[in-house]
Amino acid sequence: MNKIRLVLALAECLLCAPAWQQPAAPERSSLASRELPLAELLAELRKGGYILYFRHAATDFSQNDERMKSYDDCDNQRNLIDKGRADARAVGAAIRELRIPVERVLASPFCRTVETAQLIFGRAEKMQEVRGGPSAPAGSERYAALRKMLATPVRAGSNLAVVSHGNPFYSVAGPPYLAEGEAAVIRPLGSDFQVFARIRVDSWEALRDAAGTRTRS
């Protein structure tokens, strides 16, 4: 009973503490997500100025990263499965068919994110800031660099692709988690950003239908 009283007392103190003494909440976008109609979404993506944030494609959850010695040590990481590779190739084909312009492709340095980027776009620029995490400077918000990246305007006529993980996006944009292979369409606004759509792996066909480019068998 004494332990229970102690826990309750500590919780009460935390709730009553001044705001500056309470733990800071993760810095998320202050704007609610929007959902554009497919035809309008495609038109916007073709105009450019957006960020396509992808969670890596499907992986083998019997694997983990606990024994990895470096980001290049793919044998000791969780890697893509054949379905994930096929999904990434299909997404890349859809983006090309839909004529969505993408200039830079930034990827978390893990093997599964780099491979996803390469299969979708044919290239990948490794960048730790895309992942966030414990390497951030002491005292800084863990995903501050990623949040700043998602808020930084992208020039018209092209889009920026970011291939990363589920946790960083959840931390800066909120729920729900992105599924493996799912993309979020983000409009950077300078000091903030807004999610305009979420495109699951099987939703690219709907965009093809909206554009009239889907090949019928």
PDB file of all heavy atoms in Angstrom, residues 44-58:
ATOM      1  N   GLU A  44      -1.942  18.261 -58.013  1.00  0.00           N
ATOM      2  CA  GLU A  44      -1.031  18.964 -57.107  1.00  0.00           C
ATOM      3  C   GLU A  44       0.360  18.350 -57.139  1.00  0.00           C
ATOM      4  O   GLU A  44       1.371  19.058 -57.171  1.00  0.00           O
ATOM      5  CB  GLU A  44      -1.599  18.934 -55.678  1.00  0.00           C
ATOM      6  CG  GLU A  44      -2.807  19.830 -55.460  1.00  0.00           C
ATOM      7  CD  GLU A  44      -2.453  21.299 -55.644  1.00  0.00           C
ATOM      8  OE1 GLU A  44      -1.462  21.751 -55.041  1.00  0.00           O
ATOM      9  OE2 GLU A  44      -3.167  21.989 -56.401  1.00  0.00           O
ATOM     10  N   LEU A  45       0.433  17.017 -57.121  1.00  0.00           N
ATOM     11  CA  LEU A  45       1.731  16.358 -57.146  1.00  0.00           C
ATOM     12  C   LEU A  45       2.475  16.649 -58.442  1.00  0.00           C
ATOM     13  O   LEU A  45       3.707  16.778 -58.457  1.00  0.00           O
ATOM     14  CB  LEU A  45       1.557  14.855 -56.965  1.00  0.00           C
ATOM     15  CG  LEU A  45       1.211  14.385 -55.543  1.00  0.00           C
ATOM     16  CD1 LEU A  45       0.892  12.892 -55.544  1.00  0.00           C
ATOM     17  CD2 LEU A  45       2.355  14.681 -54.585  1.00  0.00           C
ATOM     18  N   ARG A  46       1.745  16.748 -59.538  1.00  0.00           N
ATOM     19  CA  ARG A  46       2.394  17.062 -60.811  1.00  0.00           C
ATOM     20  C   ARG A  46       2.912  18.500 -60.840  1.00  0.00           C
ATOM     21  O   ARG A  46       3.912  18.784 -61.506  1.00  0.00           O
ATOM     22  CB  ARG A  46       1.419  16.829 -61.963  1.00  0.00           C
ATOM     23  CG  ARG A  46       1.220  15.347 -62.290  1.00  0.00           C
ATOM     24  CD  ARG A  46       0.138  15.129 -63.316  1.00  0.00           C
ATOM     25  NE  ARG A  46       0.111  13.747 -63.800  1.00  0.00           N
ATOM     26  CZ  ARG A  46      -0.850  13.246 -64.561  1.00  0.00           C
ATOM     27  NH1 ARG A  46      -1.874  14.012 -64.937  1.00  0.00           N
ATOM     28  NH2 ARG A  46      -0.804  11.987 -64.955  1.00  0.00           N
ATOM     29  N   LYS A  47       2.253  19.389 -60.122  1.00  0.00           N
ATOM     30  CA  LYS A  47       2.735  20.776 -60.032  1.00  0.00           C
ATOM     31  C   LYS A  47       3.976  20.870 -59.162  1.00  0.00           C
ATOM     32  O   LYS A  47       4.796  21.767 -59.340  1.00  0.00           O
ATOM     33  CB  LYS A  47       1.638  21.678 -59.467  1.00  0.00           C
ATOM     34  CG  LYS A  47       0.500  21.955 -60.443  1.00  0.00           C
ATOM     35  CD  LYS A  47      -0.395  23.081 -59.965  1.00  0.00           C
ATOM     36  CE  LYS A  47      -1.077  22.762 -58.654  1.00  0.00           C
ATOM     37  NZ  LYS A  47      -2.056  23.818 -58.251  1.00  0.00           N
ATOM     38  N   GLY A  48       4.107  19.960 -58.199  1.00  0.00           N
ATOM     39  CA  GLY A  48       5.276  19.968 -57.325  1.00  0.00           C
ATOM     40  C   GLY A  48       5.091  20.835 -56.094  1.00  0.00           C
ATOM     41  O   GLY A  48       4.035  21.428 -55.864  1.00  0.00           O
ATOM     42  N   GLY A  49       6.156  20.872 -55.300  1.00  0.00           N
ATOM     43  CA  GLY A  49       6.116  21.644 -54.061  1.00  0.00           C
ATOM     44  C   GLY A  49       5.737  20.807 -52.847  1.00  0.00           C
ATOM     45  O   GLY A  49       5.517  21.354 -51.765  1.00  0.00           O
ATOM     46  N   TYR A  50       5.687  19.484 -53.000  1.00  0.00           N
ATOM     47  CA  TYR A  50       5.267  18.599 -51.921  1.00  0.00           C
ATOM     48  C   TYR A  50       6.406  17.656 -51.508  1.00  0.00           C
ATOM     49  O   TYR A  50       7.431  17.541 -52.186  1.00  0.00           O
ATOM     50  CB  TYR A  50       4.052  17.764 -52.339  1.00  0.00           C
ATOM     51  CG  TYR A  50       2.791  18.584 -52.439  1.00  0.00           C
ATOM     52  CD1 TYR A  50       2.493  19.290 -53.612  1.00  0.00           C
ATOM     53  CD2 TYR A  50       1.906  18.677 -51.367  1.00  0.00           C
ATOM     54  CE1 TYR A  50       1.345  20.063 -53.705  1.00  0.00           C
ATOM     55  CE2 TYR A  50       0.757  19.439 -51.461  1.00  0.00           C
ATOM     56  CZ  TYR A  50       0.479  20.125 -52.633  1.00  0.00           C
ATOM     57  OH  TYR A  50      -0.659  20.898 -52.714  1.00  0.00           O
ATOM     58  N   ILE A  51       6.191  17.000 -50.374  1.00  0.00           N
ATOM     59  CA  ILE A  51       7.108  15.969 -49.894  1.00  0.00           C
ATOM     60  C   ILE A  51       6.356  14.650 -49.856  1.00  0.00           C
ATOM     61  O   ILE A  51       5.259  14.573 -49.308  1.00  0.00           O
ATOM     62  CB  ILE A  51       7.658  16.314 -48.499  1.00  0.00           C
ATOM     63  CG1 ILE A  51       8.477  17.618 -48.546  1.00  0.00           C
ATOM     64  CG2 ILE A  51       8.516  15.161 -47.957  1.00  0.00           C
ATOM     65  CD1 ILE A  51       8.885  18.140 -47.180  1.00  0.00           C
ATOM     66  N   LEU A  52       6.940  13.621 -50.446  1.00  0.00           N
ATOM     67  CA  LEU A  52       6.410  12.263 -50.368  1.00  0.00           C
ATOM     68  C   LEU A  52       7.220  11.520 -49.317  1.00  0.00           C
ATOM     69  O   LEU A  52       8.393  11.185 -49.536  1.00  0.00           O
ATOM     70  CB  LEU A  52       6.523  11.562 -51.720  1.00  0.00           C
ATOM     71  CG  LEU A  52       5.494  11.948 -52.781  1.00  0.00           C
ATOM     72  CD1 LEU A  52       5.951  11.461 -54.155  1.00  0.00           C
ATOM     73  CD2 LEU A  52       4.136  11.354 -52.448  1.00  0.00           C
ATOM     74  N   TYR A  53       6.618  11.284 -48.154  1.00  0.00           N
ATOM     75  CA  TYR A  53       7.294  10.575 -47.077  1.00  0.00           C
ATOM     76  C   TYR A  53       6.839   9.117 -47.107  1.00  0.00           C
ATOM     77  O   TYR A  53       5.665   8.812 -46.890  1.00  0.00           O
ATOM     78  CB  TYR A  53       6.960  11.205 -45.721  1.00  0.00           C
ATOM     79  CG  TYR A  53       7.656  10.544 -44.540  1.00  0.00           C
ATOM     80  CD1 TYR A  53       8.695  11.202 -43.880  1.00  0.00           C
ATOM     81  CD2 TYR A  53       7.274   9.292 -44.078  1.00  0.00           C
ATOM     82  CE1 TYR A  53       9.339  10.600 -42.798  1.00  0.00           C
ATOM     83  CE2 TYR A  53       7.915   8.676 -43.007  1.00  0.00           C
ATOM     84  CZ  TYR A  53       8.942   9.340 -42.371  1.00  0.00           C
ATOM     85  OH  TYR A  53       9.578   8.743 -41.300  1.00  0.00           O
ATOM     86  N   PHE A  54       7.762   8.214 -47.395  1.00  0.00           N
ATOM     87  CA  PHE A  54       7.469   6.788 -47.443  1.00  0.00           C
ATOM     88  C   PHE A  54       8.007   6.086 -46.198  1.00  0.00           C
ATOM     89  O   PHE A  54       9.140   6.338 -45.779  1.00  0.00           O
ATOM     90  CB  PHE A  54       8.150   6.125 -48.648  1.00  0.00           C
ATOM     91  CG  PHE A  54       7.507   6.404 -49.971  1.00  0.00           C
ATOM     92  CD1 PHE A  54       7.850   7.541 -50.699  1.00  0.00           C
ATOM     93  CD2 PHE A  54       6.573   5.528 -50.507  1.00  0.00           C
ATOM     94  CE1 PHE A  54       7.273   7.797 -51.933  1.00  0.00           C
ATOM     95  CE2 PHE A  54       5.991   5.776 -51.739  1.00  0.00           C
ATOM     96  CZ  PHE A  54       6.340   6.918 -52.450  1.00  0.00           C
ATOM     97  N   ARG A  55       7.192   5.208 -45.631  1.00  0.00           N
ATOM     98  CA  ARG A  55       7.760   4.204 -44.729  1.00  0.00           C
ATOM     99  C   ARG A  55       8.286   3.088 -45.626  1.00  0.00           C
ATOM    100  O   ARG A  55       7.700   2.787 -46.673  1.00  0.00           O
ATOM    101  CB  ARG A  55       6.702   3.641 -43.777  1.00  0.00           C
ATOM    102  CG  ARG A  55       7.287   2.651 -42.769  1.00  0.00           C
ATOM    103  CD  ARG A  55       6.225   2.075 -41.862  1.00  0.00           C
ATOM    104  NE  ARG A  55       6.800   1.060 -40.980  1.00  0.00           N
ATOM    105  CZ  ARG A  55       6.103   0.288 -40.171  1.00  0.00           C
ATOM    106  NH1 ARG A  55       4.774   0.393 -40.137  1.00  0.00           N
ATOM    107  NH2 ARG A  55       6.709  -0.604 -39.406  1.00  0.00           N
ATOM    108  N   HIS A  56       9.416   2.494 -45.247  1.00  0.00           N
ATOM    109  CA  HIS A  56      10.005   1.421 -46.050  1.00  0.00           C
ATOM    110  C   HIS A  56       8.973   0.332 -46.352  1.00  0.00           C
ATOM    111  O   HIS A  56       7.979   0.157 -45.642  1.00  0.00           O
ATOM    112  CB  HIS A  56      11.201   0.814 -45.323  1.00  0.00           C
ATOM    113  CG  HIS A  56      10.854   0.287 -43.955  1.00  0.00           C
ATOM    114  ND1 HIS A  56      10.164  -0.891 -43.744  1.00  0.00           N
ATOM    115  CD2 HIS A  56      11.080   0.806 -42.731  1.00  0.00           C
ATOM    116  CE1 HIS A  56       9.997  -1.084 -42.457  1.00  0.00           C
ATOM    117  NE2 HIS A  56      10.530  -0.069 -41.813  1.00  0.00           N
ATOM    118  N   ALA A  57       9.222  -0.417 -47.393  1.00  0.00           N
ATOM    119  CA  ALA A  57       8.312  -1.483 -47.817  1.00  0.00           C
ATOM    120  C   ALA A  57       8.359  -2.663 -46.848  1.00  0.00           C
ATOM    121  O   ALA A  57       9.105  -2.658 -45.864  1.00  0.00           O
ATOM    122  CB  ALA A  57       8.665  -1.923 -49.236  1.00  0.00           C
ATOM    123  N   ALA A  58       7.561  -3.703 -47.128  1.00  0.00           N
ATOM    124  CA  ALA A  58       7.363  -4.819 -46.203  1.00  0.00           C
ATOM    125  C   ALA A  58       8.676  -5.527 -45.848  1.00  0.00           C
ATOM    126  O   ALA A  58       9.521  -5.781 -46.707  1.00  0.00           O
ATOM    127  CB  ALA A  58       6.384  -5.819 -46.817  1.00  0.00           C
TER     128      ALA A  58
END
